[in-house]
Each structure stands twice: as C-alpha cells, then as structure tokens.
C-alpha cells in the first residue's frame, strides 16, 4: 500500500463548478482503481492525499499533476503504508473559495481527518487550513 501527499496551486479563476467536475471524475476513477484519499482547497491551493496500490497511485498522480486546473504540484510525502489512513471514502473534499474567517474550512477538515491515525498526516491537513486562514484574510 502506497500513499502520496502533494500540494499545488489552483489556476486563477477556478470555480466551484471546476472543482465539482474534478470530484466527479475523481470519485469514479478512484473507486475503479481502489484509491482512497482526501482533497482540500482554500480556493488558492490544493492539498491531496492519494493511497492505494503503488502503481495505481503513481499513475493517478501522474495524470493529476498535468491537469491544467492547477500547477506547480509538489510532492510532500510519498511512502509505503501498512494500511489506509483515508479508508472510508474514494475522495472526500473539504472546502473551496476564500474563507475569510477560517472557521468553516478548518472545522470541515478537522472532522474529515479525525479518524486518520498518523498524527503527522492529521497535522498536515489541519495545519493547511490554519495557513489558509492567514493568507485569505
Ligand atoms: C486538484 C485536482 C485533484 C484531482 N484528483 C483526482 C483524483 O483523485 N483522481 C482522479 O482520477 N483524477 C483526479 N483529478 C482529475 C485528473 O487530473 C483528470 O482530469 C482525470 O483523472 C481524468 O479522468 P477522466 O478522463 O476519466 O475524466 C484531479 C484534478 C485536480 C485539478
């Protein structure tokens, strides 16, 4: 079992409809490929975890990083894991758009990562929402 976590910058002008389209194809493809994960966005950046069989996760990432709806994808972590951290969904999504008070995105993501066992992974996703709050202000 392999897990990749990356961060990227959303294309300027990206809309909720663009994100909805990403989620529709992600959920279908990831269910087919046995990939689970979490995608969050503050409207400026994306942070995503992908996990599953190594070859399938790498193939998915390779497709995703070339997607024109974002750019400058950087892998934060790529590692073998003993079992899934984000096992209960194909692709959960937390937040989109400029969150001025920060509270909404933070609460959604905190709920979504509550069952992630690895504290570093949990902290990475929760921490993203705290940075998002500062830069969106
Ligand atoms: C931020 C972001 C995250 C994405 N995450 C996934 C994903 O988890 N799985 C996936 O198959 N495609 C994902 N995509 C979409 C892919 O880049 C690509 O458009 C899609 O896989 C094409 O599949 P389709 O031809 O079946 O629609 C993502 C795109 C973006 C911009």
């Amino acid at each position: 079992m392999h897990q990749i976590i990356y961060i990227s910058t959303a294309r300027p002008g990206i809309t909720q409809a663009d994100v909805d389209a990403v989620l529709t194809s992600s959920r279908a493809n990831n269910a087919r490929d046995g990939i689970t994960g979490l995608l969050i966005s503050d409207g400026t950046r994306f942070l995503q975890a992908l996990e599953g069989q190594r070859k399938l996760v790498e193939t998915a990432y390779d497709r995703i990083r070339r997607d024109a709806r974002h750019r400058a994808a950087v892998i934060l972590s790529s590692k073998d894991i003993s079992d899934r951290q984000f096992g209960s969904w194909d692709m959960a999504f937390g937040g989109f758009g400029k969150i001025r008070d920060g509270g909404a995105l933070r609460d959604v993501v905190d709920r979504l990562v509550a069952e992630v066992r690895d504290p570093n992974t949990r902290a990475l996703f929760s921490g993203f929402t705290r940075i998002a709050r500062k830069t969106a202000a």
Side-chain angles (χ1 to χ4, degrees):
M1 188 70 50
H2 196 76
Q3 181 193 70
I4 291 177
I5 299 178
Y6 75 87
I7 194 162
S8 66
T9 302
R11 175 175 55 75
I14 195 170
T15 63
Q16 181 67 52
D18 293 319
V19 175
D20 290 344
V22 163
L23 287 169
T24 300
S25 57
S26 299
R27 285 178 176 137
N29 294 339
N30 295 357
R32 176 196 65 205
D33 295 339
I35 291 174
T36 49
L38 175 62
L39 173 65
I40 69 176
S41 180
D42 62 353
T44 303
R45 277 171 291 269
F46 291 105
L47 178 66
Q48 187 174 31
L50 298 160
E51 59 190 18
Q53 202 185 305
R54 183 183 193 121
K55 208 170 168 23
L56 294 169
V57 169
E58 287 175 346
T59 301
Y61 177 71
D62 206 52
R63 199 169 64 229
I64 294 165
R65 73 179 175 80
R66 288 185 274 112
D67 193 309
R69 290 169 287 199
H70 64 168
R71 61 185 173 79
V74 174
I75 291 181
L76 301 178
S77 150
S78 176
K79 62 181 184 186
D80 290 330
I81 50 175
S82 53
D83 41 33
R84 294 178 192 271
Q85 296 277 323
F86 300 92
S88 45
W89 51 71
D90 310 328
M91 188 52 58
F93 179 69
F96 187 72
K98 294 266 183 274
I99 313 269
R100 293 216 169 263
D101 68 6
L105 179 62
R106 193 178 61 212
D107 292 349
V108 170
V109 171
D110 283 352
R111 260 199 310 281
L112 287 170
V113 298
E115 284 167 33
V116 171
R117 284 180 314 283
D118 175 33
N120 294 324
T121 305
R122 228 171 29 235
L124 179 63
F125 278 87
S126 296
F128 176 89
T129 67
R130 273 112 183 129
I131 296 168
R133 174 170 51 162
K134 296 203 181 77
T135 55

